[in-house]
Amino acid sequence: MRKKQFKAESKKLLDMMINSIYTHKEIFLRELISNASDAMDKLYFKSLTDDTVGMKKEDFCIRIDLDKENRTITITDNGIGMTEEELEQNLGTIAKSGSSQFKNENETNSDVEIIGQFGVGFYSAFMVSDFVTVQSRAFGAAQGYVWSAAGIDGYTVEPCEKDTVGTIITLHIKPSTDQEDYDTFLEPYKISSLVKKYSDYIRYPIKMEMETSRPVEGKDGEYETVKELKTLNSMVPLWRKNKSEITDEEYNRFYTEKFYDFEPPAKVIHSKTEGQVTYDALLFIPKHAPFDFYSKDYEKGLQLYSSGVLIMDKCADLLPDCFSFVKGLVDSADLSLNISREVLQHDYQLKLIAKNLEKKIKSELEKMLKNERETYEEFYKAFGVQLKYGMYENYGEKKDLLKDLVLFVSSTDKKLTTLSEYVSRMKEDQKSIYYACGETVDKIDMLPQADAVKDKGYEILYLTDNVDEFCLKALMDYDGKNFINICADELDIASQDEKKTLEEENEKYKDLLDFLKTSIGDGVTAVRFTNKLKKHPACLSSEGGISAQMEKVLNAMPNDNKIKAEIVLEINDAHPIAKKLQTMFETDKDRTADYAKILYDQARLISGMPVENPAEFAQLVCNLML
Ligand code: ADP
């Protein structure tokens, strides 16, 4: 028997294929099972029009046998088989896909769902084996043939005994090396887990003998180990079923098992889309954030299936960062996969799917917000920060997508509110949306600046997360209303007369105010009288775009360029302390300077900042007592 050579370019390709196309050696099993499934699809398809096939759908089956002693894995199918020529053509020429040809010939029939398309998958067998035989008998042929090859040196095809139609592929597994554990592929649990991982939704049963232990009849407490032929795959993908046939329980079980969560999801999104690109999507919004969600280790992404076969475990391109918490999968027969089926060839279809999913997720979250407020708030507690980051990231690219999904605590009832709810409650004369930043709701509630705004009957949004203010800055306005930080921006609630009086007062006491500023030092850029305070004597405000909160957040980042907010000490012009300062400045400059420092330190404490020199502060207060 003359050994035939692989075509020269094929040799090179084969070598490349075995050594570099696939990143995971374990996918050889997925490829061979997909081929077997294709072969059975072809014969099943034939049986619909040809009575001589004599097989029903339930007769088709893939069997895997492991032989540890002889180091072989055997994969048997009762599909359409290959003739001598087909063995030559399909397995002797790389990149010749019989399946792709079959697909083209049967393009109009939507029942055929063939997985193979490149004619290289079979060769992945050589990643784990040093010798491969393919015994096959084609439907309608009387004689079987066996193709065999030991790697890339060449192959032989010769007649063989084969009673039934179909194909038996036997892989002789390579010996393990220091770098690679090939022995693992001879372990039943490994093979069954690989089938579960990649081929769970192959539509024919994949069977293998597995050892199980069972009680011995008649002998109490004794167990025996027996071999049982088990079906390893679940066959019907949940997402292919009709929504009306799936119970909540089934969805929940699928989610908790597949995505390792102990709680059912907050929301299930199951959709079938047909059009420019056809796909099924089954998405889940978790109730709580995984422990690593807000760390660098968290990997976003959806599982990507092509016709029920897993292609990628975490396809990041399918999810925008703002929805990185979504779990689930997409299954599409339309994807143009690259040769290893590990990555996608063109990302056009993927982009299209991602765009649709983004819209879908948003509308489902909006529905939840509208109809299941409590569930939404629970969800928001877990993932709200991610949505807010999403608004701010990439120069606010996603701000319009997200602006109606974010919530902030409102001063009125200390409950979460949307921006649109805030706007709907705005007073007739109110032009802006007011907000304040701080560590906690209670601390913000006590800010001196809040009094005047609340007195007017205006609501204030209380921002407690670091990202909050950046998120509003990115949004710039909502429904035409600008945002005003009550500690940083001009409140614009005083009348013209009030403004004028204040201006005159500041002018009149310019010397005093300059003196106070000099006494405090670098901590402030100016000291001024204000009419916006009610009971508090003084407060700190910032000017020039960077608020004190932003300064704190930005400077906490690893960055050498430290930023400084321009802080102004504002003194309540109606407070007795203002009068006191005005008179004391004439008589006792030293004491006036001490008062300035105390007022400044107190204002820092109230706005949630530490006192710069606690020892000096304590001494100054002590002096007052003596
Ligand atoms: P692909 O599956 O991408 O077409 P493969 O290299 O895996 O490429 O297989 C090449 C061809 O060999 C297939 O298209 C198919 O025609 C044939 N083939 C492979 N395995 C089998 C099998 N188990 N039964 C019948 N034909 C097969």
Side-chain angles (χ1 to χ4, degrees), residues 217-384:
E217 234 176 274
K219 290 190 181 169
D220 241 11
E222 263 186 51
Y223 283 82
E224 60 183 353
T225 308
V226 286
K227 284 192 171 169
E228 239 175 24
L229 199 59
K230 279 207 169 148
T231 300
L232 307 177
N233 55 332
S234 44
M235 291 184 277
V236 187
L238 189 66
W239 59 90
R240 292 281 183 92
K241 288 195 194 167
N242 274 332
K243 270 202 226 179
S244 56
E245 291 164 21
I246 309 174
T247 62
D248 287 351
E249 216 145 54
E250 274 180 288
Y251 278 129
N252 291 349
R253 186 154 17 93
F254 181 85
Y255 167 74
T256 47
E257 279 174 12
K258 202 145 189 116
F259 300 101
Y260 311 110
D261 201 345
F262 56 86
E263 251 191 322
K267 184 114 230 122
V268 179
I269 308 171
H270 186 183
S271 68
K272 291 174 191 293
T273 308
E274 278 174 30
Q276 270 178 300
V277 55
T278 298
Y279 63 91
D280 296 329
L282 180 54
L283 310 181
F284 302 93
I285 297 171
K287 269 203 183 126
H288 60 106
F291 72 96
D292 62 347
F293 184 69
Y294 288 105
S295 82
K296 272 208 177 79
D297 297 337
Y298 183 79
E299 254 185 274
K300 66 161 184 173
L302 298 177
Q303 288 193 328
L304 183 64
Y305 287 83
S306 169
S307 308
V309 179
L310 179 69
I311 302 302
M312 234 189 271
D313 199 29
K314 285 206 172 127
C315 181
D317 292 345
L318 282 171
L319 280 180
D321 281 341
C322 58
F323 295 148
S324 62
F325 48 82
V326 176
K327 302 272 179 197
L329 58 94
V330 168
D331 188 358
S332 173
D334 284 357
L335 303 169
S336 52
L337 305 174
N338 84 342
I339 209 164
S340 67
R341 300 211 236 158
E342 283 177 350
V343 251
L344 300 167
Q345 191 83 299
H346 308 290
D347 56 2
Y348 172 68
Q349 298 115 316
L350 205 65
K351 280 216 178 95
L352 214 61
I353 298 177
K355 228 171 100 198
N356 288 348
L357 292 182
E358 182 179 291
K359 267 196 246 153
K360 183 85 193 155
I361 295 168
K362 179 200 164 165
S363 77
E364 287 294 329
L365 286 175
E366 270 177 339
K367 249 196 262 166
M368 189 159 121
L369 173 61
K370 199 162 152 245
N371 307 326
E372 303 165 71
R373 181 68 173 227
E374 225 172 283
T375 317
Y376 187 83
E377 289 194 8
E378 185 106 345
F379 150 81
Y380 193 77
K381 265 187 209 131
F383 301 111

Side-chain angles (χ1 to χ4, degrees), residues 35 39 42 77 82 90 97-99 116-122 167:
N35 281 349
K42 289 174 199 167
D77 70 66
M82 283 175 276
N90 293 340
S97 169
S99 288
Q117 51 174 325
F118 291 108
V120 292
F122 169 76
T167 303

Side-chain angles (χ1 to χ4, degrees), residues 93-106:
T93 317
I94 295 161
K96 165 99 191 166
S97 169
S99 288
S100 159
Q101 200 176 329
F102 183 90
K103 243 202 291 205
N104 293 338
E105 285 161 11
N106 295 280

Side-chain angles (χ1 to χ4, degrees), residues 8-26:
E9 61 274 34
S10 300
K11 257 192 184 175
K12 234 200 240 154
L13 237 174
L14 186 51
D15 192 44
M16 199 174 87
M17 168 76 232
I18 295 169
N19 295 308
S20 55
I21 287 184
Y22 295 105
T23 42
H24 303 291
K25 292 195 191 298
E26 66 186 26

Side-chain angles (χ1 to χ4, degrees), residues 373-397:
R373 181 68 173 227
E374 225 172 283
T375 317
Y376 187 83
E377 289 194 8
E378 185 106 345
F379 150 81
Y380 193 77
K381 265 187 209 131
F383 301 111
V385 170
Q386 188 66 17
L387 297 181
K388 290 186 279 190
Y389 266 113
M391 275 174 75
Y392 154 76
E393 262 169 356
N394 290 328
Y395 308 101
E397 186 196 345

